[in-house]
Amino acid sequence: VSASSALIAHVEARRADILDFTRELIAAPSPTPPGDERAVAHRVLHRLDGLGLTGSRTVGPRAERPSVLWTLAGTGKGRRIVLNGHLDTKPVGDTSHWLTDPFVATECDGQLYGLGSSDMKGAVAAMVYAAAAVRDVLGPLRGDVTLALTADEEGGCADGAAYLLEHQLVEADAILIGEPAGMTREWEWLYVVSRGLTAVKVRVYGTQMHSSISDILPSVNASTRMAWVLDRMARTFSIPAPAHPYCQQGVTVNPGVTVRGGVQYGVTPGYAEFGTDIRIPPGVSLDDVRQALDAFFIRLRSEMPDLQATWEFEPPPLEWMPPTEIAVDDSLVRAVVSAAEQVLGQAPPFGTFPGGTEAAFYQGRAGIPCLPAFGPGFLPICHGPNEHVGVESIIQAAKMYAIAAAQAAG
Ligand SMILES: [Zn+2]
């Protein structure tokens, strides 16, 4: 506890610097697409140097996709802990819905507004200062403490987390990801499960011909057929999921997240397609999804015998991003619970992050236990206008990351 008090005091003394650093990160645009984290990575490297955290490096497949790595090397006998956050954001989209400049962090009523504030530049700033606190207050621990600040999370991770794994650049025994823990209020959940994802394309065929005679000659309009299939999927398609103590949400099906079809005015459409994303809780396999889709299409053909429609999984990685789950008695989870009790007064309940995270790679592919989301901010306002994060939450995050990393690697 005395170590925790010293870490808390270290962070508290740097409150203004942490917020200033968050503002700097927000001022360095890093939208994916197109995907260019050079400016924001440069700010991080500069800040690490300024804090005396030397030896950081950038890695990535191309100059414009840097991920930043820094390690406080341990004395060799402890668990290797990674604090992981992503440097990119979604594109800003229509700025007319923003009340402030999305690249000028603006404080109002205890909230800091700006693109990437919740998702997740506030958490990145907190992680950097947590690492500085651990280094300054405790020095080397038994295990390594590593900062992995990644590119390309919003674009599917190929140039970020997946690249790091392929090139053995992340060696870890447990990873804490700082995606936002808030749904309706901050620090609402301690997410131990991250749902998976699969993406399905449905193709529907018709009769392409001169549209002026579609009521004279027998023909099938692929677009209206597709609309029927889409509607049937929205109304009647579901996949059962087994009960799970920390995941109440089950499977979420979103038919028609993409829709495409037809040729031009004057042409009866011969082809139309739509995409469906399916969010996967623990206990549901790719084979379960396949069987449910096959059964659904058999049902459709019994209702419409001349239906010509097929379905397929999208190519990897969208074919299957597995759900992940860290054991609640994992020492990293216990360290985060303890840190939350010390900083927030009590630990939030265990829960399930509704979306995918880099845990699908770190844990799904490489088997490294991942706490998928424990960070400042709110998920519902991410990827939209007027994104914001609680100022106090960023400071709390830095304190909790420092205490948790020190305990888990110590
Ligand atoms: Zn994120």
Side-chain angles (χ1 to χ4, degrees):
V1 174
S2 65
S4 293
S5 313
L7 292 168
I8 288 171
H10 190 281
V11 169
E12 192 60 44
R14 286 154 187 81
R15 174 179 282 270
D17 294 345
I18 297 171
L19 298 177
D20 167 71
F21 182 38
T22 308
R23 287 193 181 88
E24 267 188 28
L25 298 178
I26 290 169
S30 54
T32 301
D36 183 344
E37 291 85 359
R38 280 176 292 189
V40 68
H42 179 78
R43 303 287 180 120
V44 173
L45 293 174
H46 191 258
R47 184 65 58 139
L48 287 169
D49 273 353
L51 290 167
L53 305 184
T54 54
S56 60
R57 58 183 177 143
T58 59
V59 294
R62 292 183 302 288
E64 65 270 26
R65 301 317 303 260
S67 294
V68 177
L69 298 174
W70 177 82
T71 295
L72 175 64
T75 53
K77 291 182 287 301
R79 249 179 143 206
R80 296 163 302 174
I81 301 300
V82 169
L83 300 177
N84 179 90
H86 62 83
L87 296 172
D88 60 334
T89 68
K90 288 289 188 198
V92 66
D94 183 354
T95 52
S96 70
H97 297 295
W98 279 81
L99 300 172
T100 61
D101 183 334
F103 301 107
V104 177
T106 308
E107 197 177 329
C108 181
D109 290 336
Q111 299 289 316
L112 197 63
Y113 287 78
L115 184 66
S117 52
S118 260
D119 187 15
M120 52 181 284
K121 291 177 172 178
V124 167
M127 285 176 171
V128 166
Y129 276 83
V134 171
R135 204 283 310 259
D136 292 352
V137 172
L138 303 173
L141 305 170
R142 292 193 303 138
D144 295 352
V145 174
T146 295
L147 293 174
L149 308 175
T150 56
D152 196 32
E153 192 272 345
E154 303 290 6
C157 307
D159 292 342
Y163 177 89
L164 297 184
L165 284 177
E166 277 155 28
H167 295 80
Q168 275 118 41
L169 292 164
V170 173
E171 298 195 329
D173 297 307
I175 299 179
L176 192 169
I177 302 176
E179 295 280 2
M183 191 63 71
T184 61
R185 62 177 192 282
E186 297 206 71
W187 305 118
E188 188 171 1
W189 296 99
L190 203 174
Y191 292 122
V192 292
V193 174
S194 180
R195 286 202 301 175
L197 170 83
T198 180
V200 172
K201 180 174 284 181
V202 174
R203 302 178 184 275
V204 182
Y205 299 90
T207 320
Q208 188 179 320
M209 63 177 204
H210 203 290
S211 66
S212 66
I213 48 172
S214 64
D215 53 353
I216 298 174
L217 291 183
S219 61
V220 171
N221 179 325
S223 295
T224 58
R225 280 269 161 110
M226 183 206 70
W228 181 77
V229 175
L230 180 53
D231 182 64
R232 298 297 288 154
M233 183 175 268
R235 289 171 191 272
T236 70
F237 179 70
S238 64
I239 303 172
H244 186 287
Y246 310 119
C247 184
Q248 269 80 50
Q249 208 180 354
V251 176
T252 305
V253 180
N254 295 294
V257 287
T258 64
V259 171
R260 200 169 66 84
V263 177
Q264 180 52 280
Y265 290 108
V267 183
T268 304
Y271 175 75
E273 63 176 45
F274 68 90
T276 293
D277 76 33
I278 304 176
R279 305 287 180 163
I280 308 291
V284 175
S285 68
L286 186 59
D287 213 47
D288 294 333
V289 179
R290 185 180 288 117
Q291 284 176 24
L293 282 163
D294 281 339
F296 171 68
F297 274 83
I298 287 169
R299 226 162 52 233
L300 290 186
R301 285 191 200 95
S302 73
E303 292 176 37
M304 185 181 283
D306 69 338
L307 177 68
Q308 286 192 46
T310 62
W311 71 269
E312 70 210 42
F313 290 117
E314 292 283 359
L318 285 177
E319 179 183 26
W320 184 243
M321 310 271 284
T324 67
E325 167 170 28
I326 189 169
V328 296
D329 63 353
D330 183 282
S331 65
L332 176 61
V333 178
R334 284 192 275 114
V336 170
V337 167
S338 163
E341 286 167 353
Q342 293 172 62
V343 174
L344 304 176
Q346 62 174 15
F350 296 130
T352 294
F353 193 71
T357 66
E358 288 160 313
F361 294 89
Y362 295 131
Q363 184 160 0
R365 286 196 187 170
I368 305 167
C370 257
L371 206 158
F374 191 63
F378 309 85
L379 186 62
I381 46 90
C382 298
H383 302 180
N386 305 311
E387 180 179 351
H388 54 93
V389 64
V391 167
E392 192 56 35
S393 294
I394 299 172
I395 306 302
Q396 290 168 330
K399 294 173 182 173
M400 289 192 281
Y401 294 154
I403 293 168
Q407 183 178 322

